[in-house]
Amino acid sequence: MILPRIGSLEVCGSWHERFAESPDVLKSTRREHTVVSVLDFEIGGGEFVTVAGPCSVETEAQLMATARHVCCAGARVLRGGAFKPRSSPYSFQGLGLEGLKLLARARQQTGLAVVTEVMSESDVGLVAEYADILQIGSRSMENFSLLEAAARSGKPILLKRGMVATVADFLRSAQCVLENGNPNVILCERGIRTFENSLRNTFDAASIAVLKEVSHLPVIADPSHAAGRRELVPALARIAVAAGADGLIVEVHPDPDTAWSDGEQSLDFAAFDRMMSDLRPWLAARDSAVLYAEEALG
Ligand code: PEP
Ligand code: MN
């Protein structure tokens, strides 16, 4: 497997000064890459990993059809919210335990790993029984007691960047997971709030490059929550590949217009297939660029 060598320890030097009390998240001569093992594959180990599925688990038919489809199209992980952080208390809040059970059934039927969000410290034990990876959502990035409890579950943590978090804030939250004995953190850039309002969030592709430069943790991109509009998702996915991301998390739904949450930004099956096949030459270019750089370094 090809592991890109991005970033020099010199560039990291100023970060080591800033993170003097919490240097574990930073790259060092001892630790250049963290590779997170999930079921029979790895995240951050050179393979570009796609996580795909609906924003929310809605029904058995919706979830199973999506799981089967994204699995055939090359995804490794099924996403789906059972506990949903919604902007309005009147919106669908998720199926809870029933959703977790459906996710576990989808894993059994497809072999996909499962990632789902845990919103509350008291749900960590329950969610960890069903999921292979625990997602900490944007709105919870600075909920340190949740981070601590999730870390202690021993499951890999998919940590989403807070909407108003700097890269340093983001890394400090990751440090909290490491600090609590869990080295398996996957960082996720999902867009941040800025004055720009042409997208749902501003996709900070530069943060992917910065994170890959200064941290050993794998980084994935969420083009769906950044774009907020399904037409833009494939373009942001391509940008993520070029920026050095280790994978993607993408919302996919059998019939996005009827989705119970985030339908506007969800791809239907045909659009997901197209995005996956259109990404192939970009991924091949990335692999050759990495090889070229490795050869140039000798
Ligand atoms: C989600 O993944 O559906 C979600 C709510 O994401 P975020 O926390 O990035 O808003
Ligand atoms: Mn969503």
Side-chain angles (χ1 to χ4, degrees), residues 80-141:
F83 295 95
K84 292 304 302 174
R86 303 306 302 280
S87 306
S88 160
Y90 307 108
S91 303
F92 174 58
Q93 305 292 312
L95 295 183
L97 176 59
E98 185 50 31
L100 296 177
K101 289 183 176 166
L102 290 173
L103 286 164
R105 206 169 307 155
R107 171 180 46 222
Q108 203 179 16
Q109 287 190 11
T110 58
L112 289 169
V114 160
V115 62
T116 195
E117 177 161 354
V118 58
M119 289 171 57
S120 131
E121 212 181 316
S122 57
D123 289 336
V124 167
L126 179 70
V127 177
E129 262 180 57
Y130 291 89
D132 302 295
I133 303 172
L134 302 186
Q135 178 172 324
I136 302 291
S138 260
R139 293 158 189 81
S140 302
M141 189 206 83

Side-chain angles (χ1 to χ4, degrees), residues 28 82 131 181 192 210 242 286:
S28 70
I192 49 172
V210 172
R286 174 193 86 140

Side-chain angles (χ1 to χ4, degrees), residues 3-237:
L3 291 171
R5 179 171 297 155
I6 306 170
S8 69
L9 296 173
E10 241 166 75
V11 177
C12 291
S14 61
W15 283 80
H16 276 280
E17 277 163 34
R18 286 167 73 186
F19 276 69
E21 284 171 8
S22 46
D24 299 352
V25 280
L26 299 181
K27 213 171 258 187
S28 70
T29 39
R30 279 184 301 111
R31 197 158 27 167
E32 273 199 61
H33 294 284
T34 287
V35 176
V36 177
S37 295
V38 186
L39 301 184
D40 61 343
F41 63 94
E42 293 173 337
I43 302 178
E47 178 192 354
F48 190 81
V49 171
T50 302
V51 179
C55 178
S56 304
V57 179
E58 299 169 5
T59 64
E60 177 160 13
Q62 170 245 18
L63 189 69
M64 298 309 156
T66 311
R68 278 193 288 271
H69 193 91
V70 301
C71 183
C72 290
R76 289 288 210 167
V77 186
L78 175 67
R79 62 148 291 146
F83 295 95
K84 292 304 302 174
R86 303 306 302 280
S87 306
S88 160
Y90 307 108
S91 303
F92 174 58
Q93 305 292 312
L95 295 183
L97 176 59
E98 185 50 31
L100 296 177
K101 289 183 176 166
L102 290 173
L103 286 164
R105 206 169 307 155
R107 171 180 46 222
Q108 203 179 16
Q109 287 190 11
T110 58
L112 289 169
V114 160
V115 62
T116 195
E117 177 161 354
V118 58
M119 289 171 57
S120 131
E121 212 181 316
S122 57
D123 289 336
V124 167
L126 179 70
V127 177
E129 262 180 57
Y130 291 89
D132 302 295
I133 303 172
L134 302 186
Q135 178 172 324
I136 302 291
S138 260
R139 293 158 189 81
S140 302
M141 189 206 83
E142 287 181 320
N143 181 342
F144 292 101
S145 50
L146 173 63
L147 288 172
E148 191 178 324
R152 292 189 183 281
S153 75
K155 295 279 177 176
I157 305 296
L158 170 51
L159 179 63
K160 291 188 129 193
R161 182 177 178 185
M163 278 179 223
V164 292
T166 63
V167 167
D169 297 334
F170 192 18
L171 286 173
R172 284 195 191 93
S173 289
Q175 175 76 30
C176 174
V177 179
L178 301 186
E179 190 74 40
N180 282 283
N182 189 336
N184 296 312
V185 180
I186 304 147
L187 301 170
C188 176
E189 162 59 37
R190 49 77 75 205
I192 49 172
R193 285 270 163 88
T194 68
F195 59 81
E196 175 55 57
N197 60 6
S198 59
L199 300 182
R200 180 175 177 186
N201 291 289
T202 296
F203 183 53
D204 185 10
S207 78
I208 299 172
V210 172
L211 289 166
K212 290 301 297 180
E213 183 171 51
V214 303
S215 176
H216 52 85
L217 295 171
V219 182
I220 68 169
D222 176 345
S224 308
H225 289 84
R229 286 196 281 129
R230 65 182 76 119
E231 311 78 54
L232 275 170
V233 169
L236 299 194

